[in-house]
Amino acid sequence: MDPQQIIEQAVDSRYKDELIGISRKIWELAEVGYEEFQSAETLCKALEKHGFTVTRNLVDIPTAFKGVWGKGSPVVGILGEYDALPGLSQEAGCPVKKPEHEGCPGHGCGHNLLGTGALAGAMALKDYLEATGKPGTVVYFGTPAEENLSGKTFMARDGAFDGVDFFLSWHPGPENRTATPHLNANVCRTYKFKGITSHAAAAPELGRSALDSCEIMGVGANYLREHVIMEARIQYAYLDVGGRAPNVVQDHAAVRYVVRAPYYRQVKEIVKRLDDVARGAALICGTQVSVERESGYSEYINNKVLAQAATEAFHEVGVPKWDENDFALAKKFTDSFSDSMKEKEKEMLVGRYGKARLAEKLEQPLDTEIKDFNPDREELDFGSTDVGDVGFIAPTYYFTAATEAFGTPGHSWYKTGQVNSPIGWKGMLTAGKVIALTAVKMLEDPAKLEAAKQEFLEKNNGQYDCPVAGVEKLPKL
């Protein structure tokens, strides 16, 4: 039996029902970053059931873990995520906004599928090594808090990923893509201003407003945006507005900023200037400011050797096998899109498939092809992922498998509603097979693995400038 047969038998026959059940359970739990205790334990128990040795509380992060099976080299790392997003609860399969639990978290980024699909890859790879008797070690890493909380960055900083030869992962999305883009580095920090209270009408001259400082910092940040590279993003959210009484000068206020740019070195330069803006705002208002460093991501850059192996594997596995029910459910979701979302969907479809196929794809809005990795073209995406930090430890690659209708925005209830449906499960199982078969291609070709490592060294010279170096605590949303 060839590797693909072993892998497909494992995922489609032996483990399919169990994997779908795990995905559904994690979706129902919907635990946010660093609070995924039950989701992590669900995955840990599944690993132990199938012979993996599990280490919980990895590098002193309560919801981080790893499961290890096999012995010898190469050592394959497979990355799983399972954190949900605040406020994105939605009934499964429902194409109109209808939260299961109003105001509660939901899997609006599909990490219930991500963690379980990665598990499928680990279990199928284990079956391949068991059947062939070849040497190799499979390590499933449970990585919490990807959503703006840098779980993998802290794990990378503290040595959790050391000793692995290469890493694979995937992400749920509207498309089957091995053409994964370059993703931005970012840094998150909170600026806390402290002022002096006073009666805002009777004695305003005695007050020093922390809230004014936040607002003036916002003005300064707006002007800073005019004088940074075009690819940079400076985003913010108020955490504390100093109270609800306008007749009291606010003596405390806080605002959180996220700075993004294609490379961490660029982010660091912009952050220094943003810190100066904060100090200036405090000086203008007569307040004091403290800065809390919270989280950060390195840029994600494809490893071309791994990307090419994954492209070959994806074509051999094939795209998810949609049926008429899947197309019908996807169409219900796209029909519920706003006008602007529908226009964006059309633009994407024309760019991907051409005008001649637009009507066809609008009627059956699930991806049936694979967008291949092109080693001569690097795409830039403005999002970020802590998978980038793993890529500074060893060669790393992730791809996207279709788990939802075209045009579905990430971090939305539309996505939550689809990632606990047959559409999501089919994409998840496909991803698991692609992960396992990609790993096999690397294991069976030592020259290919050596080339991936050489490319990794050329990218970073073996150096890792960690964005959370010196940060002592795990941040919370």
PDB file of all heavy atoms in Angstrom, residues 228-242:
ATOM      1  N   VAL A 228       4.661  56.711   7.504  1.00  0.00           N
ATOM      2  CA  VAL A 228       5.225  55.365   7.626  1.00  0.00           C
ATOM      3  C   VAL A 228       5.054  54.676   6.273  1.00  0.00           C
ATOM      4  O   VAL A 228       4.371  55.190   5.381  1.00  0.00           O
ATOM      5  CB  VAL A 228       4.537  54.549   8.743  1.00  0.00           C
ATOM      6  CG1 VAL A 228       4.780  55.188  10.098  1.00  0.00           C
ATOM      7  CG2 VAL A 228       3.033  54.393   8.488  1.00  0.00           C
ATOM      8  N   ILE A 229       5.668  53.522   6.106  1.00  0.00           N
ATOM      9  CA  ILE A 229       5.571  52.811   4.836  1.00  0.00           C
ATOM     10  C   ILE A 229       4.116  52.475   4.527  1.00  0.00           C
ATOM     11  O   ILE A 229       3.298  52.287   5.430  1.00  0.00           O
ATOM     12  CB  ILE A 229       6.432  51.536   4.843  1.00  0.00           C
ATOM     13  CG1 ILE A 229       6.020  50.595   5.983  1.00  0.00           C
ATOM     14  CG2 ILE A 229       7.908  51.885   4.935  1.00  0.00           C
ATOM     15  CD1 ILE A 229       6.725  49.264   5.953  1.00  0.00           C
ATOM     16  N   MET A 230       3.783  52.405   3.261  1.00  0.00           N
ATOM     17  CA  MET A 230       2.397  52.210   2.848  1.00  0.00           C
ATOM     18  C   MET A 230       1.821  50.896   3.365  1.00  0.00           C
ATOM     19  O   MET A 230       0.619  50.779   3.603  1.00  0.00           O
ATOM     20  CB  MET A 230       2.301  52.242   1.317  1.00  0.00           C
ATOM     21  CG  MET A 230       2.557  53.611   0.713  1.00  0.00           C
ATOM     22  SD  MET A 230       2.416  53.582  -1.087  1.00  0.00           S
ATOM     23  CE  MET A 230       0.678  53.154  -1.286  1.00  0.00           C
ATOM     24  N   GLU A 231       2.668  49.896   3.542  1.00  0.00           N
ATOM     25  CA  GLU A 231       2.178  48.583   3.959  1.00  0.00           C
ATOM     26  C   GLU A 231       1.875  48.503   5.456  1.00  0.00           C
ATOM     27  O   GLU A 231       1.312  47.522   5.920  1.00  0.00           O
ATOM     28  CB  GLU A 231       3.220  47.503   3.615  1.00  0.00           C
ATOM     29  CG  GLU A 231       3.510  47.364   2.129  1.00  0.00           C
ATOM     30  CD  GLU A 231       4.553  48.349   1.633  1.00  0.00           C
ATOM     31  OE1 GLU A 231       5.034  49.185   2.436  1.00  0.00           O
ATOM     32  OE2 GLU A 231       4.897  48.294   0.440  1.00  0.00           O
ATOM     33  N   ALA A 232       2.262  49.513   6.217  1.00  0.00           N
ATOM     34  CA  ALA A 232       2.086  49.481   7.675  1.00  0.00           C
ATOM     35  C   ALA A 232       0.636  49.767   8.052  1.00  0.00           C
ATOM     36  O   ALA A 232      -0.107  50.436   7.336  1.00  0.00           O
ATOM     37  CB  ALA A 232       3.013  50.489   8.345  1.00  0.00           C
ATOM     38  N   ARG A 233       0.248  49.268   9.210  1.00  0.00           N
ATOM     39  CA  ARG A 233      -1.063  49.520   9.783  1.00  0.00           C
ATOM     40  C   ARG A 233      -0.881  49.867  11.259  1.00  0.00           C
ATOM     41  O   ARG A 233      -0.125  49.200  11.973  1.00  0.00           O
ATOM     42  CB  ARG A 233      -1.974  48.291   9.661  1.00  0.00           C
ATOM     43  CG  ARG A 233      -2.269  47.866   8.227  1.00  0.00           C
ATOM     44  CD  ARG A 233      -3.202  48.850   7.538  1.00  0.00           C
ATOM     45  NE  ARG A 233      -3.604  48.396   6.220  1.00  0.00           N
ATOM     46  CZ  ARG A 233      -2.952  48.659   5.095  1.00  0.00           C
ATOM     47  NH1 ARG A 233      -1.827  49.372   5.132  1.00  0.00           N
ATOM     48  NH2 ARG A 233      -3.397  48.225   3.926  1.00  0.00           N
ATOM     49  N   ILE A 234      -1.601  50.914  11.714  1.00  0.00           N
ATOM     50  CA  ILE A 234      -1.589  51.296  13.125  1.00  0.00           C
ATOM     51  C   ILE A 234      -3.036  51.307  13.585  1.00  0.00           C
ATOM     52  O   ILE A 234      -3.830  52.143  13.153  1.00  0.00           O
ATOM     53  CB  ILE A 234      -0.940  52.681  13.341  1.00  0.00           C
ATOM     54  CG1 ILE A 234       0.488  52.700  12.790  1.00  0.00           C
ATOM     55  CG2 ILE A 234      -0.938  53.039  14.827  1.00  0.00           C
ATOM     56  CD1 ILE A 234       1.139  54.083  12.806  1.00  0.00           C
ATOM     57  N   GLN A 235      -3.407  50.373  14.456  1.00  0.00           N
ATOM     58  CA  GLN A 235      -4.791  50.197  14.885  1.00  0.00           C
ATOM     59  C   GLN A 235      -4.884  50.315  16.401  1.00  0.00           C
ATOM     60  O   GLN A 235      -3.898  50.089  17.111  1.00  0.00           O
ATOM     61  CB  GLN A 235      -5.298  48.821  14.422  1.00  0.00           C
ATOM     62  CG  GLN A 235      -5.250  48.661  12.911  1.00  0.00           C
ATOM     63  CD  GLN A 235      -4.910  47.264  12.451  1.00  0.00           C
ATOM     64  OE1 GLN A 235      -4.290  46.480  13.158  1.00  0.00           O
ATOM     65  NE2 GLN A 235      -5.314  46.934  11.237  1.00  0.00           N
ATOM     66  N   TYR A 236      -6.074  50.665  16.895  1.00  0.00           N
ATOM     67  CA  TYR A 236      -6.178  50.911  18.337  1.00  0.00           C
ATOM     68  C   TYR A 236      -7.570  50.583  18.852  1.00  0.00           C
ATOM     69  O   TYR A 236      -8.540  50.475  18.093  1.00  0.00           O
ATOM     70  CB  TYR A 236      -5.854  52.372  18.658  1.00  0.00           C
ATOM     71  CG  TYR A 236      -6.894  53.364  18.188  1.00  0.00           C
ATOM     72  CD1 TYR A 236      -7.833  53.873  19.079  1.00  0.00           C
ATOM     73  CD2 TYR A 236      -6.933  53.784  16.860  1.00  0.00           C
ATOM     74  CE1 TYR A 236      -8.789  54.776  18.651  1.00  0.00           C
ATOM     75  CE2 TYR A 236      -7.875  54.690  16.431  1.00  0.00           C
ATOM     76  CZ  TYR A 236      -8.815  55.188  17.326  1.00  0.00           C
ATOM     77  OH  TYR A 236      -9.765  56.080  16.903  1.00  0.00           O
ATOM     78  N   ALA A 237      -7.660  50.430  20.174  1.00  0.00           N
ATOM     79  CA  ALA A 237      -8.942  50.242  20.862  1.00  0.00           C
ATOM     80  C   ALA A 237      -8.809  50.803  22.274  1.00  0.00           C
ATOM     81  O   ALA A 237      -7.803  50.575  22.953  1.00  0.00           O
ATOM     82  CB  ALA A 237      -9.317  48.765  20.927  1.00  0.00           C
ATOM     83  N   TYR A 238      -9.828  51.530  22.722  1.00  0.00           N
ATOM     84  CA  TYR A 238      -9.832  52.048  24.089  1.00  0.00           C
ATOM     85  C   TYR A 238     -10.135  50.908  25.064  1.00  0.00           C
ATOM     86  O   TYR A 238     -11.076  50.136  24.862  1.00  0.00           O
ATOM     87  CB  TYR A 238     -10.882  53.148  24.251  1.00  0.00           C
ATOM     88  CG  TYR A 238     -10.420  54.502  23.806  1.00  0.00           C
ATOM     89  CD1 TYR A 238     -10.555  54.914  22.484  1.00  0.00           C
ATOM     90  CD2 TYR A 238      -9.832  55.386  24.713  1.00  0.00           C
ATOM     91  CE1 TYR A 238     -10.123  56.167  22.073  1.00  0.00           C
ATOM     92  CE2 TYR A 238      -9.398  56.636  24.311  1.00  0.00           C
ATOM     93  CZ  TYR A 238      -9.542  57.023  22.992  1.00  0.00           C
ATOM     94  OH  TYR A 238      -9.106  58.260  22.597  1.00  0.00           O
ATOM     95  N   LEU A 239      -9.346  50.814  26.105  1.00  0.00           N
ATOM     96  CA  LEU A 239      -9.572  49.836  27.166  1.00  0.00           C
ATOM     97  C   LEU A 239     -10.200  50.472  28.393  1.00  0.00           C
ATOM     98  O   LEU A 239     -10.902  49.808  29.156  1.00  0.00           O
ATOM     99  CB  LEU A 239      -8.245  49.172  27.567  1.00  0.00           C
ATOM    100  CG  LEU A 239      -7.453  48.486  26.458  1.00  0.00           C
ATOM    101  CD1 LEU A 239      -6.226  47.811  27.048  1.00  0.00           C
ATOM    102  CD2 LEU A 239      -8.302  47.487  25.705  1.00  0.00           C
ATOM    103  N   ASP A 240      -9.917  51.748  28.600  1.00  0.00           N
ATOM    104  CA  ASP A 240     -10.392  52.458  29.793  1.00  0.00           C
ATOM    105  C   ASP A 240     -10.594  53.918  29.404  1.00  0.00           C
ATOM    106  O   ASP A 240      -9.666  54.575  28.928  1.00  0.00           O
ATOM    107  CB  ASP A 240      -9.356  52.329  30.913  1.00  0.00           C
ATOM    108  CG  ASP A 240      -9.675  53.184  32.135  1.00  0.00           C
ATOM    109  OD1 ASP A 240     -10.838  53.621  32.268  1.00  0.00           O
ATOM    110  OD2 ASP A 240      -8.757  53.426  32.932  1.00  0.00           O
ATOM    111  N   VAL A 241     -11.823  54.428  29.592  1.00  0.00           N
ATOM    112  CA  VAL A 241     -12.101  55.823  29.239  1.00  0.00           C
ATOM    113  C   VAL A 241     -12.244  56.696  30.481  1.00  0.00           C
ATOM    114  O   VAL A 241     -12.719  57.820  30.412  1.00  0.00           O
ATOM    115  CB  VAL A 241     -13.370  55.942  28.362  1.00  0.00           C
ATOM    116  CG1 VAL A 241     -13.136  55.280  27.017  1.00  0.00           C
ATOM    117  CG2 VAL A 241     -14.585  55.333  29.059  1.00  0.00           C
ATOM    118  N   GLY A 242     -11.847  56.171  31.631  1.00  0.00           N
ATOM    119  CA  GLY A 242     -11.761  57.005  32.826  1.00  0.00           C
ATOM    120  C   GLY A 242     -13.047  57.194  33.595  1.00  0.00           C
ATOM    121  O   GLY A 242     -13.104  58.001  34.518  1.00  0.00           O
TER     122      GLY A 242
END
